[in-house]
Amino acid sequence: MKNLYKIPLVLLSLNLLVCACKQETHIVEQALKPHVESGNLPGAISVLIDEKANKQDIACVGFANVDEKRQISMDQMFMQCSQTKGFCGVTIAMLVEEGKISLDEPVSKYLPEFKEMKVLVKDKEGKVQLVPAKNQITIRMVMNHTAGFPFEIPSKKVKGWPGLSLRDTSKEAASEPLLFEPGTKSQYSNTGIDIGAAVIEVVTKQPWDVFLKERVLLPLGMKNTTFNPTDEQLKNHISMYKISKGKTPEFTLFNNWMPLPHNGPTVFPSAGAGLWTTANDQLKFYKMLMNLGVGDNGVRILKEDTVKNLLATSTRPQSLGSYSLGLNVAGNGWFGHGGAWNTNCKVNWKNKQLQLWVVQLLNTKDGNWQKDYNKAVDDFFKGKAEKGEDKYVGRTK
C-alpha cells in the first residue's frame, strides 16, 4: 500500500484510551424505542460522537427485518447508495494530492469522448436546440455536480445504478446532450461522479473499485464494504421498507435503482451510488474524515490540508451552493453525505463531532419519529449540531 503514514504508537494508544473512557448516553434509544414498539419504525442505527466533550451515544433500535425478528446491529450490511460519492471524492483527492491530476484539467484529457459536447438550449420561441458547449468539462465540475449532466443516463434508468461499467457509463454520457453550459449551474448527478471514477481508472490503470479497496478500504480495516456482497452477507442485511402516512412500514424486496441480483457478473461498481457497507465500517471512513485524514487505526489516508481544503470546503463557484468532491459542505466544519434510503453521516472536523444515521427506508417524510430523533441529537450536542436535513438524502431523480 502506497503513501500510508503511520501515527506514532504512543498517540494511537492514547487515542484508544480516550475512546474507551467516553461517557455513554442513551438519548437516541429512549427517543426511538416507542416508535419501534408502536410499529412505526422498523429499525435504526444512530451513532453520535462528541470528542471534545468525551461522550458518545450509540443506539441499535428495532429490527433489520421485522418478520424475521432479526435485531438490527452495527455489523449488518446495507445499501449506502449516494454516500458512495464521498468515497470517490476521497480517491480523487488522493490523486490531486499526489500531483497525478488537477481539478481544473479537462476530463477529455483522460476520456477523449468528452472533447466536443453539445448543450440543450431553448430559443426565443421555446424550441429546443443543440449548440456546441463553450466550456470544457473539468474534473472539478464532474465531482461537484456543475458539469451539466442529468441525474442518470438512459441505460441506468432501465438497468439501475450497478447495471453498467464506469467506462460504458462515460461513453453513453458523452453521447448525450448536456442540460446546461458546464460550470454555470448545478444539477445533482450520479453520472458526473461515475465519470470522475472513470478518470481514476485511466490515471491509475486500475479498476476504480480495486484502487478504492487497496488505498482506502483495506488500510482503514473496512473489510465489509463492497460493491458485490456475498450471499452469506446478504442473508443478514438490513431490509428495506416503504413508509406511507398512517400505515405500518411495508417490506420491499428491492428498489429499481438497486435491482436484483445484488451480486455476480452483472453487477458493476457505481461511484455515484452502489456501495454496500456496515455501520462499523462506515464509522471508520467518517472518523478518518473527522480526524483530517487519519483513521482510528493510525493509518493516514490523506494529508490534513487536503481534507480541509478539498473535502470540507466547497469547490463550486459561490453562487452555486456548497459542495466539495462528492461531499455536501454545510459550513463551520460540517461535511458529509446522505443516501437514497435515508442513511446519512456528517462530521465536524473543528469540533470533532460525528452524526451517523442508518435506516433502509423510502419516503421517510411520512415517518413520525423524525422530530423526536432531531430533538435527541440537539440534546446530545447541546445545540451545536448543524441544523436542517441533508438535501442529498433521498435524491433519486
Side-chain angles (χ1 to χ4, degrees):
M1 298 172 190
K2 300 177 182 178
N3 298 323
L4 301 181
Y5 307 96
K6 289 285 186 178
I7 300 298
L9 287 176
V10 173
L11 293 180
L12 178 57
S13 300
L14 180 60
N15 182 54
L16 292 174
L17 179 61
V18 170
C19 290
C21 293
K22 279 196 180 79
Q23 173 193 353
E24 291 280 354
T25 70
H26 303 281
I27 298 172
V28 173
E29 181 180 350
Q30 292 167 6
L32 296 180
K33 199 171 181 180
H35 297 285
V36 171
E37 291 172 348
S38 68
N40 291 319
L41 177 64
I45 298 170
S46 169
V47 178
L48 305 177
I49 296 174
D50 190 331
E51 291 281 1
K52 289 186 177 180
N54 194 34
K55 65 178 182 177
Q56 64 184 14
D57 184 294
I58 300 176
C60 295
V61 185
F63 303 96
N65 185 286
V66 176
D67 291 338
E68 297 172 5
K69 299 300 179 187
R70 283 192 293 113
Q71 296 289 323
I72 200 166
S73 69
M74 300 278 288
D75 61 356
Q76 291 165 333
M77 299 199 82
F78 62 90
M79 299 179 192
Q80 70 166 12
C81 302
S82 280
Q83 289 179 298
T84 310
K85 292 177 172 67
F87 287 72
C88 187
V90 164
T91 53
I92 285 283
M94 282 180 153
L95 297 187
V96 172
E97 184 178 283
E98 294 166 9
K100 294 178 180 176
I101 61 173
S102 167
L103 290 184
D104 293 315
E105 287 179 320
V107 168
S108 60
K109 177 180 177 180
Y110 305 99
L111 303 169
E113 59 264 34
F114 289 102
K115 191 166 186 179
E116 295 181 3
M117 296 296 292
K118 296 292 179 67
V119 182
L120 280 171
V121 297
K122 288 184 179 180
D123 62 19
K124 294 180 180 179
E125 298 176 354
K127 293 181 181 180
V128 176
Q129 299 182 36
L130 290 179
V131 301
K134 299 175 184 176
N135 300 332
Q136 282 286 311
I137 297 169
T138 64
I139 296 173
R140 179 190 303 272
M141 292 174 189
V142 298
M143 292 304 298
N144 68 18
H145 306 303
T146 62
F149 295 109
F151 175 67
E152 272 298 1
I153 56 173
S155 289
K156 286 200 173 183
K157 289 180 181 179
V158 176
K159 297 181 178 181
W161 293 324
L164 213 62
S165 72
L166 292 169
R167 297 304 297 277
D168 285 342
T169 297
S170 293
K171 289 173 183 176
E172 184 170 327
S175 70
E176 295 286 320
L178 299 173
L179 301 181
F180 52 81
E181 183 65 35
T184 63
K185 298 180 182 179
S186 66
Q187 165 65 47
Y188 187 69
S189 169
N190 283 1
T191 302
I193 305 297
D194 281 343
I195 292 167
V199 168
I200 293 173
E201 292 192 334
V202 174
V203 174
T204 65
K205 297 180 173 57
Q206 282 184 293
W208 176 67
D209 58 312
V210 174
F211 181 76
L212 175 69
K213 184 176 181 179
E214 290 182 355
R215 296 293 303 276
V216 180
L217 303 184
L218 290 183
L220 289 176
M222 299 174 65
K223 297 179 180 179
N224 292 307
T225 300
T226 178
F227 290 98
N228 223 301
T230 65
D231 289 340
E232 192 63 29
Q233 288 172 318
L234 289 172
K235 284 180 184 178
N236 196 33
H237 80 283
I238 301 174
S239 298
M240 187 188 308
Y241 289 84
K242 181 179 180 180
I243 304 294
S244 299
K245 194 170 184 178
K247 296 182 180 180
T248 302
E250 178 185 352
F251 170 78
T252 305
L253 183 60
F254 67 92
N255 181 277
N256 289 336
W257 288 114
M258 289 286 280
L260 294 173
H262 292 316
N263 58 20
T266 61
V267 174
F268 297 95
S270 167
L275 200 56
W276 290 72
T277 190
T278 67
N280 278 328
D281 267 17
Q282 204 176 61
L283 271 178
K284 293 173 184 177
F285 179 78
Y286 280 98
K287 280 187 176 180
M288 178 273 293
L289 293 179
M290 181 182 75
N291 292 319
L292 296 176
V294 180
D296 259 6
N297 59 357
V299 172
R300 180 170 284 283
I301 301 298
L302 289 166
K303 295 177 182 177
E304 181 176 309
D305 285 347
T306 302
V307 178
K308 285 182 181 178
N309 299 323
L310 290 186
L311 299 176
T313 301
S314 178
T315 63
R316 287 181 181 176
Q318 193 171 1
S319 61
L320 298 182
S322 295
Y323 202 92
S324 60
L325 304 176
L327 289 162
N328 182 32
V329 178
N332 197 29
W334 284 102
F335 66 114
H337 215 284
W341 312 159
N342 287 279
T343 57
N344 189 18
C345 192
K346 53 188 175 183
V347 298
N348 189 312
W349 67 265
K350 292 182 179 179
N351 295 331
K352 298 300 179 188
Q353 295 172 334
L354 179 149
Q355 180 184 351
L356 171 74
W357 174 246
V358 176
V359 290
Q360 292 288 271
L361 303 174
L362 302 175
N363 301 336
T364 57
K365 64 181 180 180
D366 292 329
N368 60 359
W369 65 87
Q370 195 72 54
K371 183 178 178 181
D372 290 339
Y373 170 69
N374 290 342
K375 183 179 184 305
V377 172
D378 272 353
D379 288 345
F380 178 84
F381 288 118
K382 292 185 174 16
K384 290 185 289 185
E386 184 68 22
K387 302 290 184 181
E389 294 181 6
D390 185 337
K391 62 183 176 180
Y392 298 102
V393 172
R395 185 73 69 82
T396 56
K397 60 182 178 178

PDB file of all heavy atoms in Angstrom, residues 278-293:
ATOM      1  N   THR A 278     -21.318  -1.526   6.307  1.00  0.00           N
ATOM      2  CA  THR A 278     -21.923  -1.716   7.620  1.00  0.00           C
ATOM      3  C   THR A 278     -21.726  -0.437   8.423  1.00  0.00           C
ATOM      4  O   THR A 278     -20.878   0.392   8.074  1.00  0.00           O
ATOM      5  CB  THR A 278     -21.261  -2.878   8.383  1.00  0.00           C
ATOM      6  OG1 THR A 278     -19.895  -2.523   8.695  1.00  0.00           O
ATOM      7  CG2 THR A 278     -21.273  -4.169   7.570  1.00  0.00           C
ATOM      8  N   ALA A 279     -22.471  -0.304   9.502  1.00  0.00           N
ATOM      9  CA  ALA A 279     -22.303   0.883  10.346  1.00  0.00           C
ATOM     10  C   ALA A 279     -20.893   0.922  10.923  1.00  0.00           C
ATOM     11  O   ALA A 279     -20.274   1.987  11.007  1.00  0.00           O
ATOM     12  CB  ALA A 279     -23.341   0.889  11.465  1.00  0.00           C
ATOM     13  N   ASN A 280     -20.356  -0.226  11.318  1.00  0.00           N
ATOM     14  CA  ASN A 280     -18.998  -0.274  11.856  1.00  0.00           C
ATOM     15  C   ASN A 280     -17.975   0.195  10.830  1.00  0.00           C
ATOM     16  O   ASN A 280     -17.051   0.957  11.150  1.00  0.00           O
ATOM     17  CB  ASN A 280     -18.655  -1.696  12.309  1.00  0.00           C
ATOM     18  CG  ASN A 280     -19.192  -2.023  13.679  1.00  0.00           C
ATOM     19  OD1 ASN A 280     -19.295  -1.143  14.540  1.00  0.00           O
ATOM     20  ND2 ASN A 280     -19.563  -3.276  13.905  1.00  0.00           N
ATOM     21  N   ASP A 281     -18.133  -0.247   9.585  1.00  0.00           N
ATOM     22  CA  ASP A 281     -17.200   0.164   8.535  1.00  0.00           C
ATOM     23  C   ASP A 281     -17.363   1.642   8.197  1.00  0.00           C
ATOM     24  O   ASP A 281     -16.377   2.371   8.016  1.00  0.00           O
ATOM     25  CB  ASP A 281     -17.436  -0.669   7.271  1.00  0.00           C
ATOM     26  CG  ASP A 281     -16.545  -1.899   7.213  1.00  0.00           C
ATOM     27  OD1 ASP A 281     -15.989  -2.285   8.265  1.00  0.00           O
ATOM     28  OD2 ASP A 281     -16.410  -2.487   6.123  1.00  0.00           O
ATOM     29  N   GLN A 282     -18.605   2.084   8.096  1.00  0.00           N
ATOM     30  CA  GLN A 282     -18.841   3.484   7.739  1.00  0.00           C
ATOM     31  C   GLN A 282     -18.247   4.431   8.781  1.00  0.00           C
ATOM     32  O   GLN A 282     -17.723   5.496   8.445  1.00  0.00           O
ATOM     33  CB  GLN A 282     -20.333   3.741   7.562  1.00  0.00           C
ATOM     34  CG  GLN A 282     -20.611   4.934   6.652  1.00  0.00           C
ATOM     35  CD  GLN A 282     -22.082   5.124   6.401  1.00  0.00           C
ATOM     36  OE1 GLN A 282     -22.841   5.346   7.335  1.00  0.00           O
ATOM     37  NE2 GLN A 282     -22.499   5.046   5.152  1.00  0.00           N
ATOM     38  N   LEU A 283     -18.306   4.021  10.038  1.00  0.00           N
ATOM     39  CA  LEU A 283     -17.689   4.826  11.099  1.00  0.00           C
ATOM     40  C   LEU A 283     -16.198   5.009  10.861  1.00  0.00           C
ATOM     41  O   LEU A 283     -15.646   6.087  11.101  1.00  0.00           O
ATOM     42  CB  LEU A 283     -17.909   4.160  12.457  1.00  0.00           C
ATOM     43  CG  LEU A 283     -19.180   4.513  13.227  1.00  0.00           C
ATOM     44  CD1 LEU A 283     -19.233   3.721  14.524  1.00  0.00           C
ATOM     45  CD2 LEU A 283     -19.257   6.002  13.517  1.00  0.00           C
ATOM     46  N   LYS A 284     -15.532   3.968  10.383  1.00  0.00           N
ATOM     47  CA  LYS A 284     -14.088   4.046  10.145  1.00  0.00           C
ATOM     48  C   LYS A 284     -13.781   5.081   9.072  1.00  0.00           C
ATOM     49  O   LYS A 284     -12.797   5.833   9.177  1.00  0.00           O
ATOM     50  CB  LYS A 284     -13.552   2.673   9.741  1.00  0.00           C
ATOM     51  CG  LYS A 284     -13.626   1.642  10.853  1.00  0.00           C
ATOM     52  CD  LYS A 284     -13.246   0.256  10.359  1.00  0.00           C
ATOM     53  CE  LYS A 284     -13.411  -0.781  11.475  1.00  0.00           C
ATOM     54  NZ  LYS A 284     -13.110  -2.147  11.014  1.00  0.00           N
ATOM     55  N   PHE A 285     -14.621   5.125   8.041  1.00  0.00           N
ATOM     56  CA  PHE A 285     -14.411   6.088   6.958  1.00  0.00           C
ATOM     57  C   PHE A 285     -14.645   7.516   7.435  1.00  0.00           C
ATOM     58  O   PHE A 285     -13.820   8.415   7.224  1.00  0.00           O
ATOM     59  CB  PHE A 285     -15.343   5.762   5.794  1.00  0.00           C
ATOM     60  CG  PHE A 285     -15.233   6.695   4.625  1.00  0.00           C
ATOM     61  CD1 PHE A 285     -14.185   6.592   3.736  1.00  0.00           C
ATOM     62  CD2 PHE A 285     -16.189   7.689   4.408  1.00  0.00           C
ATOM     63  CE1 PHE A 285     -14.076   7.451   2.642  1.00  0.00           C
ATOM     64  CE2 PHE A 285     -16.100   8.550   3.327  1.00  0.00           C
ATOM     65  CZ  PHE A 285     -15.036   8.432   2.443  1.00  0.00           C
ATOM     66  N   TYR A 286     -15.772   7.742   8.109  1.00  0.00           N
ATOM     67  CA  TYR A 286     -16.113   9.103   8.518  1.00  0.00           C
ATOM     68  C   TYR A 286     -15.268   9.601   9.695  1.00  0.00           C
ATOM     69  O   TYR A 286     -15.019  10.806   9.811  1.00  0.00           O
ATOM     70  CB  TYR A 286     -17.609   9.218   8.815  1.00  0.00           C
ATOM     71  CG  TYR A 286     -18.417   9.374   7.553  1.00  0.00           C
ATOM     72  CD1 TYR A 286     -19.043   8.287   6.959  1.00  0.00           C
ATOM     73  CD2 TYR A 286     -18.519  10.610   6.928  1.00  0.00           C
ATOM     74  CE1 TYR A 286     -19.760   8.437   5.782  1.00  0.00           C
ATOM     75  CE2 TYR A 286     -19.229  10.765   5.751  1.00  0.00           C
ATOM     76  CZ  TYR A 286     -19.853   9.675   5.176  1.00  0.00           C
ATOM     77  OH  TYR A 286     -20.553   9.820   4.009  1.00  0.00           O
ATOM     78  N   LYS A 287     -14.807   8.691  10.553  1.00  0.00           N
ATOM     79  CA  LYS A 287     -13.873   9.120  11.598  1.00  0.00           C
ATOM     80  C   LYS A 287     -12.565   9.589  10.974  1.00  0.00           C
ATOM     81  O   LYS A 287     -11.922  10.523  11.466  1.00  0.00           O
ATOM     82  CB  LYS A 287     -13.616   7.979  12.582  1.00  0.00           C
ATOM     83  CG  LYS A 287     -14.705   7.795  13.623  1.00  0.00           C
ATOM     84  CD  LYS A 287     -14.281   6.752  14.640  1.00  0.00           C
ATOM     85  CE  LYS A 287     -15.294   6.606  15.757  1.00  0.00           C
ATOM     86  NZ  LYS A 287     -14.874   5.592  16.754  1.00  0.00           N
ATOM     87  N   MET A 288     -12.158   8.936   9.883  1.00  0.00           N
ATOM     88  CA  MET A 288     -10.963   9.370   9.167  1.00  0.00           C
ATOM     89  C   MET A 288     -11.134  10.801   8.669  1.00  0.00           C
ATOM     90  O   MET A 288     -10.221  11.630   8.779  1.00  0.00           O
ATOM     91  CB  MET A 288     -10.687   8.409   8.004  1.00  0.00           C
ATOM     92  CG  MET A 288      -9.479   8.777   7.139  1.00  0.00           C
ATOM     93  SD  MET A 288      -9.869   9.931   5.776  1.00  0.00           S
ATOM     94  CE  MET A 288     -10.928   8.906   4.737  1.00  0.00           C
ATOM     95  N   LEU A 289     -12.324  11.119   8.135  1.00  0.00           N
ATOM     96  CA  LEU A 289     -12.582  12.487   7.668  1.00  0.00           C
ATOM     97  C   LEU A 289     -12.621  13.457   8.843  1.00  0.00           C
ATOM     98  O   LEU A 289     -12.077  14.565   8.766  1.00  0.00           O
ATOM     99  CB  LEU A 289     -13.891  12.530   6.890  1.00  0.00           C
ATOM    100  CG  LEU A 289     -13.926  11.780   5.556  1.00  0.00           C
ATOM    101  CD1 LEU A 289     -15.303  11.888   4.922  1.00  0.00           C
ATOM    102  CD2 LEU A 289     -12.861  12.299   4.599  1.00  0.00           C
ATOM    103  N   MET A 290     -13.289  13.058   9.933  1.00  0.00           N
ATOM    104  CA  MET A 290     -13.374  13.913  11.120  1.00  0.00           C
ATOM    105  C   MET A 290     -11.987  14.223  11.674  1.00  0.00           C
ATOM    106  O   MET A 290     -11.708  15.342  12.131  1.00  0.00           O
ATOM    107  CB  MET A 290     -14.225  13.228  12.197  1.00  0.00           C
ATOM    108  CG  MET A 290     -14.398  14.056  13.469  1.00  0.00           C
ATOM    109  SD  MET A 290     -15.367  13.195  14.749  1.00  0.00           S
ATOM    110  CE  MET A 290     -14.140  12.005  15.343  1.00  0.00           C
ATOM    111  N   ASN A 291     -11.102  13.240  11.598  1.00  0.00           N
ATOM    112  CA  ASN A 291      -9.748  13.396  12.128  1.00  0.00           C
ATOM    113  C   ASN A 291      -8.756  13.858  11.065  1.00  0.00           C
ATOM    114  O   ASN A 291      -7.548  13.628  11.191  1.00  0.00           O
ATOM    115  CB  ASN A 291      -9.282  12.093  12.774  1.00  0.00           C
ATOM    116  CG  ASN A 291     -10.066  11.767  14.031  1.00  0.00           C
ATOM    117  OD1 ASN A 291     -10.360  12.651  14.833  1.00  0.00           O
ATOM    118  ND2 ASN A 291     -10.421  10.504  14.209  1.00  0.00           N
ATOM    119  N   LEU A 292      -9.296  14.483  10.004  1.00  0.00           N
ATOM    120  CA  LEU A 292      -8.484  15.122   8.961  1.00  0.00           C
ATOM    121  C   LEU A 292      -7.480  14.163   8.328  1.00  0.00           C
ATOM    122  O   LEU A 292      -6.297  14.463   8.191  1.00  0.00           O
ATOM    123  CB  LEU A 292      -7.773  16.355   9.528  1.00  0.00           C
ATOM    124  CG  LEU A 292      -8.701  17.484   9.988  1.00  0.00           C
ATOM    125  CD1 LEU A 292      -7.914  18.618  10.626  1.00  0.00           C
ATOM    126  CD2 LEU A 292      -9.522  18.021   8.816  1.00  0.00           C
ATOM    127  N   GLY A 293      -8.004  13.003   7.909  1.00  0.00           N
ATOM    128  CA  GLY A 293      -7.204  12.090   7.103  1.00  0.00           C
ATOM    129  C   GLY A 293      -6.618  10.905   7.817  1.00  0.00           C
ATOM    130  O   GLY A 293      -6.022  10.031   7.174  1.00  0.00           O
TER     131      GLY A 293
END
